[in-house]
Amino acid sequence: MKPFDYQRAHGLGDAGQLLVADGAKPIAGGTNLLDLMKLEVETPTALVDVNRLPLGGITAHGEGLHIGALVSNSACAADPRIRADYPVLARAILAGATFQLRNKATTGGNLCQRTRCYYFTDLSQACNKREPGTGCAAIGGFNRIHAILGASDACIATYPGDMAVALSALDATVEIHSAKGDKRMVPVRDFHRLPGATPERDNVLEPGDVITGVVLPAPAGGTQLYRKVRDRASYAFALVSVAAVIHLEEGKIAKARLAFGGLAHKPWHDARVEQLLEGEAPSDALFDQAAALLLDEARGQGSNDFKIPLTRRTLKAVLREATGGTL
């Protein structure tokens, strides 16, 4: 680990000003950042401790909820309002990491976690995300966990989180304060970036920006499911995950909200699939159409070709369960 300065932020304005400095990084739980610093993948010149900022707590926000950026994953998943009204979020959080990590990991930090691509964390390998312009060793390499959607010739890494997948299905919004004191609201679906030619940029945050919370809209109701397919039962990242919020009315799908993990550089959302499902009676034929539409531009990289049929089967199983059919 390389030397760095440590500074404690005493307010939002102070945090923003400290984070404008080149090489400064915020730290709260540190569950991802510290690991990357030990590997020297991340080499910040300064860590700005945001733990004293007033960003804890889950409070009412209109008809929905505001989740402070410093709320731990454990506290969020255990909150009675989350469990009752947004169960897909609680289930997604509990599907990730371990008890110990969830106790430390924060809402804001979870959104900002970086890929677990093995070439990204190996300094001996070419990685455009870690060092722009060096190439992508995963392309043509061992890419079993890598993207089948939204990738580019510069990067095929995947976003590893679970929480953001559920937040995407719930139409949640990220609250961000800039160093100038401005506040902006960014839909979770727009917070993370696809790699394009700049895979080193994971999200829309600018220097000096501080995530202050996540806003959930009014309770979505319906049947809410989160299914995560992985190599082992715990402490493993998704090969494929599906967050689903499905409303049935008079035997037809009145509303469908779907988001996918393990498939792309960001939680994947495809409005076309939702539009296809809405207004239709559940059937295997309809679910086949939905899967075909979702995967119409899917591209395997060799080792991860299996993700395409796995995604198809997983989506169909989730839709069957959500609409009362057999698995």
Side-chain angles (χ1 to χ4, degrees):
M1 184 182 292
K2 293 187 176 181
F4 59 88
D5 292 331
Y6 170 84
Q7 298 165 299
R8 178 173 289 157
H10 297 286
L12 272 177
D14 186 37
Q17 292 304 315
L18 291 171
L19 288 168
V20 166
D22 187 39
K25 293 274 187 179
I27 186 166
T31 56
N32 183 210
L33 177 58
L34 291 177
D35 283 344
L36 294 176
M37 288 174 64
K38 292 172 185 176
L39 295 170
E40 295 190 1
V41 173
E42 291 275 13
T43 55
T45 57
L47 291 184
V48 179
D49 188 338
V50 297
N51 282 296
R52 299 264 179 114
L53 301 185
L55 303 178
I58 300 175
T59 56
H61 188 279
E63 296 182 359
L65 292 175
H66 179 278
I67 304 170
L70 292 177
V71 172
S72 72
N73 284 178
S74 292
C76 185
D79 187 277
R81 295 162 295 182
I82 298 293
R83 294 175 64 186
D85 296 330
Y86 309 94
V88 66
L89 177 56
R91 290 170 181 168
I93 291 172
L94 293 175
T98 63
F99 288 111
Q100 296 93 331
L101 288 172
R102 291 196 297 266
N103 287 342
K104 290 293 293 181
T106 62
T107 299
N110 191 298
L111 286 170
C112 295
Q113 64 183 300
R114 309 205 70 189
T115 185
R116 265 56 174 197
C117 170
Y118 5 81
Y119 296 102
F120 173 67
T121 55
D122 184 347
L123 298 185
S124 70
Q125 299 293 324
C127 175
N128 288 319
K129 177 176 282 295
R130 188 183 66 248
E131 190 176 350
T134 58
C136 176
I139 297 175
F142 182 64
N143 43 52
R144 186 172 183 274
I145 66 171
H146 289 72
I148 59 172
L149 291 169
S152 74
D153 291 338
C155 183
I156 60 171
T158 52
Y159 174 76
D162 295 285
M163 183 189 77
V165 179
L167 291 174
S168 179
L170 290 168
D171 296 318
T173 306
V174 184
E175 180 184 71
I176 302 169
H177 280 250
S178 74
K180 296 180 180 179
D182 303 321
K183 181 177 80 171
R184 69 186 191 275
M185 306 298 291
V186 178
V188 167
R189 293 172 185 168
D190 298 329
F191 178 76
H192 299 96
R193 294 164 49 96
L194 290 178
T198 56
E200 69 276 11
R201 293 199 62 192
D202 292 339
N203 53 56
V204 300
L205 292 177
E206 300 290 346
D209 281 350
V210 178
I211 296 175
T212 52
V214 169
V215 175
L216 295 172
T223 299
Q224 300 186 24
L225 300 174
Y226 187 75
R227 179 168 296 198
K228 181 177 181 178
V229 181
R230 48 189 165 178
D231 285 324
R232 54 183 183 269
S234 66
Y235 201 46
F237 299 101
L239 297 170
V240 177
S241 64
V242 183
V245 181
I246 303 293
H247 292 253
L248 288 177
E249 291 181 7
E250 299 179 352
K252 294 185 177 181
I253 300 172
K255 181 179 178 181
R257 292 293 180 267
L258 298 165
F260 302 84
L263 303 185
H265 210 71
K266 60 184 289 184
W268 192 257
H269 172 258
D270 190 334
R272 301 175 305 159
V273 177
E274 298 169 346
Q275 293 164 5
L276 173 71
L277 293 169
E278 290 176 353
E280 301 294 330
S283 69
D284 269 358
L286 177 65
F287 300 159
D288 279 328
Q289 292 177 45
L293 185 58
L294 172 70
L295 297 166
D296 62 355
E297 295 185 1
R299 176 187 171 194
Q301 296 287 338
S303 304
N304 69 345
D305 290 351
F306 74 96
K307 278 194 176 187
I308 296 175
L310 178 62
T311 301
R312 181 180 298 112
R313 293 195 301 270
T314 304
L315 174 58
K316 289 180 64 177
V318 168
L319 290 174
R320 286 175 186 149
E321 183 178 357
T323 57
T326 57
L327 296 179

